[in-house]
Amino acid sequence: MKGRKGLLRFLPLSAMLLFLAGCGEDRLTALDPYGPQAQWIFDNMILSLYVMALVIIVVFTLFFIAVVKFRRKPGDDEIPKQVEGSKTLELTWTIIPIILLVILAVPTIAGTYYLAEEAPEAAGSSGEEEGEEAEEAADAAAEGEDAVVIDVTGHQYWWQFDYPEGFTAGNEVYIPVGEKVWFNVTGNDVIHSFWVPALGGKIDTIPGVENSLWLQADEPGVYKGKCAELCGPSHALMDFKVVALERDEYDAWVDSMSQEEEAPEENSVAAEGRQVFEDQGCIGCHAVEGQGSAQGPTLTNFADRDYIAGVIDFNNENLEEWIRDPQSFKQGNNMQPYPDMSDEDMEAIIEYLNTLSVEDEE
């Protein structure tokens, strides 16, 4: 009776866990793939579940048959037939697991080569090829010229994305839809893990080591990314997002990010904010359209973002609190606090930061 009451106590908790299992953010799950790499991972995960389910069903079926059919009956004192050394049984439970392993191994090995594909080189034909070889070389060169290769650096606790066009983005990476995009990843301080669940697998960013992977988004939209390696007290807040655009929109965004900064109007609040931005040393860590250092996230398109520091809702009140005390939002981050900045300077720098947009230029 006590045991039954004890089990009843766990029913509310079990029900809550069941409902919580259905919670989650859109495009932040490997169970809802939006790209070929993610689809491959999902398909092979389902295949593994089918194999495991088959094994469980067979094992439990045999178990219950043995328990029911061959249980000891009253007056049954005979010793069951001994089957040790049976070649038939030995071969059976050796061959069946081998078959199951082959079923899992073949797609796994094929997928390893598929996912390890390297970025095409933007190199033209040497002039020695003829016929089909020359055409293939030309196609490879064209593909290499159009290929998007982005360098990724993991920092505590933000992501740096360096584009081949020469500009840098922070915490938000833009890619063209329907194309493979290659990421060369490394770490700046400790080991992080670059992961976009809805688009593909994860890969470690290790200081001094460059790893690479490719991702592809089949549909335009925003895909959430996470650091999947414990890297410090604010590891859970090391988020980023992947924005997939149609090719023409992507090219327009790249052009906007590559343009030089337009100076704010003279004697405006934004112009005063730009001066405060320089006087306070912010430009020493946060570059704006190529000017300044990229020790911290680049702010070229800061006003286009939905979040401050990747996790805080974008509004002026939160921005002021972040500038005055960033540790209250992200413990262990390297941004310098400005608790004593005057209200006038704070108002001016916020006004300036709100002008940093590339979408308005399109």
Side-chain angles (χ1 to χ4, degrees), residues 32-309:
D32 189 15
Y34 282 87
Q37 191 184 111
Q39 188 64 54
W40 181 91
I41 294 173
F42 177 79
D43 291 342
N44 281 270
M45 180 172 57
I46 296 300
L47 175 62
S48 300
L49 288 174
Y50 284 153
V51 170
M52 289 185 286
L54 175 63
V55 172
I56 290 175
I57 291 171
V58 172
V59 169
F60 273 83
T61 300
L62 294 176
F63 172 77
F64 285 115
I65 289 175
V67 168
V68 175
K69 184 176 180 180
F70 300 103
R71 70 184 186 278
R72 185 173 182 178
K73 302 177 180 60
D76 188 359
D77 297 326
E78 294 183 6
I79 298 177
K81 179 181 178 181
Q82 303 302 297
V83 294
E84 69 272 8
S86 171
K87 292 183 179 179
T88 302
L89 289 177
E90 292 286 353
L91 288 172
T92 300
W93 59 54
T94 300
I95 293 175
I96 291 178
I98 290 176
I99 294 174
L100 296 178
L101 287 176
V102 169
I103 293 174
L104 295 175
V106 170
T108 299
I109 295 173
T112 300
Y113 286 96
Y114 170 62
L115 300 180
E117 181 180 346
E118 296 182 354
E121 297 182 0
S125 172
S126 63
E128 300 177 357
E129 297 89 345
E130 296 181 0
E132 294 184 1
E133 291 184 359
E135 293 181 4
E136 292 177 359
D139 292 341
E143 184 181 359
E145 292 175 358
D146 293 336
V148 179
V149 182
I150 302 172
D151 294 330
V152 181
T153 305
H155 302 261
Q156 290 177 310
Y157 301 92
W158 64 282
W159 296 93
Q160 176 180 336
F161 302 101
D162 295 313
Y163 284 75
E165 290 79 7
F167 64 85
T168 298
N171 287 332
E172 293 184 359
V173 56
Y174 285 67
I175 64 173
V177 171
E179 300 179 25
K180 290 182 179 179
V181 178
W182 280 266
F183 296 89
N184 298 322
V185 304
T186 188
N188 180 65
D189 31 48
V190 299
I191 297 177
H192 305 280
S193 188
F194 181 79
W195 186 32
V196 188
L199 297 183
K202 63 187 75 170
I203 191 167
D204 285 344
T205 66
I206 305 172
V209 177
E210 184 177 273
N211 293 324
S212 63
L213 85 162
W214 62 267
L215 299 174
Q216 177 178 323
D218 290 336
E219 298 180 10
V222 177
Y223 302 88
K224 306 293 182 63
K226 288 281 188 179
C227 173
E229 181 79 25
L230 181 61
C231 56
S234 290
H235 155 70
L237 302 178
M238 191 171 168
D239 296 351
F240 66 98
K241 69 179 185 179
V242 178
V243 182
L245 303 175
E246 297 294 346
R247 185 71 198 202
D248 56 344
E249 296 177 344
Y250 170 78
D251 290 337
W253 179 84
V254 169
D255 290 341
S256 298
M257 290 290 288
S258 303
Q259 294 175 6
E260 295 184 1
E261 178 187 10
E262 293 184 6
E265 296 180 5
E266 293 185 8
N267 302 322
S268 65
V269 177
E272 295 177 11
R274 170 66 185 189
Q275 189 62 48
V276 173
F277 188 78
E278 295 181 2
D279 294 342
Q280 293 291 340
C282 306
I283 199 169
C285 293
H286 300 285
V288 179
E289 297 188 354
Q291 301 180 28
S293 169
Q295 296 182 28
T298 302
L299 303 182
T300 301
N301 62 335
F302 180 76
D304 299 329
R305 301 176 186 173
D306 297 323
Y307 300 99
I308 303 168

Side-chain angles (χ1 to χ4, degrees), residues 347-361:
E347 180 182 356
I349 201 171
I350 289 176
E351 182 68 21
Y352 167 66
L353 292 175
N354 281 321
T355 66
L356 300 180
S357 170
V358 300
E359 293 182 357
D360 295 339
E361 299 175 6

